[in-house]
Amino acid sequence: MLIEAEQRFTLTHPRGREAALAFVRDAGLSLARVRFLRGLAGNAEYVSGELVVPVPVLGEVDLPFRSLLSVTPDGAALTPQPLTGERAWVEVGGRANVDDLGAVAFHFHFRAHLQTPQAEGWGGAAFEKMVRAAAARTLERVAGELPQGIQTAME
C-alpha cells in the first residue's frame, strides 16, 4: 500500500540569507525540532531516522527513512533512498530554496510504503479502504506539523 502527502510552505530565517543557507544544508539541525521524527541522524551527505505515525486500527507505526542530502546553488535537496527488508518505510524527499532576503521555500514529499495483510472478500477490501483513508489523513496531518517544527529550529 502506498500513501503520499506533500507539504509546501515558506519561512523567513531571522538572520538572513547566509544563515538560511547554512540551516537548510544541515538537515540534522533543520529537522531536529520536528516532533514526529525519532532517531534523527545526519551529516552533509544524508539524513535518516523514523517518521512516527499514529495510524487508526494499526496503532503507532515507525516508518524508517534515509535520504541523500545535496547542496543546490540556492539551498538543498533531499533524495529518498529505498529501504529493503522493512514491512513499512517512507520516502522523504524535498527541496529548500533560499531567496536573497533569507526566505526559505520548502517543498516536502512523503511516500509511505505499508504492507498489509491480503484483503479477502468485501470485508477485507473494506478494511483495506478504511486503513488507507485513515493512514492518508494521518500522514497529511503529520506533514502539516512540519512548518512549526522547522520554525522552532530556525529560532
Side-chain angles (χ1 to χ4, degrees):
M1 176 182 306
L2 289 177
I3 300 167
E4 298 186 66
E6 285 189 301
Q7 180 62 278
R8 295 175 189 259
F9 56 96
T10 301
L11 300 171
T12 301
H13 199 286
R15 292 184 300 282
R17 178 178 168 73
E18 293 308 312
L21 283 170
F23 179 78
V24 300
R25 291 172 177 167
D26 183 345
L29 174 64
S30 57
L31 298 175
R33 303 297 295 265
V34 177
R35 66 183 188 97
F36 58 80
L37 293 178
R38 181 169 49 206
L40 191 65
N43 59 31
E45 298 175 8
Y46 79 93
V47 62
S48 65
E50 293 179 343
L51 187 79
V52 181
V53 182
V55 178
V57 181
L58 297 179
E60 191 173 87
V61 178
D62 298 345
L63 301 172
F65 71 92
R66 181 175 173 89
S67 299
L68 294 180
L69 176 66
S70 57
V71 171
T72 63
D74 62 345
L78 289 175
T79 304
Q81 300 301 294
L83 297 180
T84 58
E86 298 285 347
R87 282 195 62 203
W89 60 283
V90 66
E91 296 176 30
V92 177
R95 293 189 63 81
N97 297 316
V98 179
D99 74 9
D100 291 339
L101 301 174
V104 185
F106 291 95
H107 175 210
F108 286 94
H109 183 253
F110 301 94
R111 178 181 293 153
H113 298 256
L114 304 172
Q115 288 183 6
T116 58
Q118 183 68 29
E120 295 182 21
W122 68 268
F127 175 76
E128 183 176 319
K129 186 175 180 178
M130 180 182 72
V131 169
R132 180 181 297 279
R137 283 191 307 272
T138 301
L139 190 57
E140 287 286 340
R141 190 180 78 246
V142 165
E145 295 177 13
L146 270 171
Q148 180 181 359
I150 293 176
Q151 179 70 54
T152 301
M154 209 179 258
E155 295 167 355

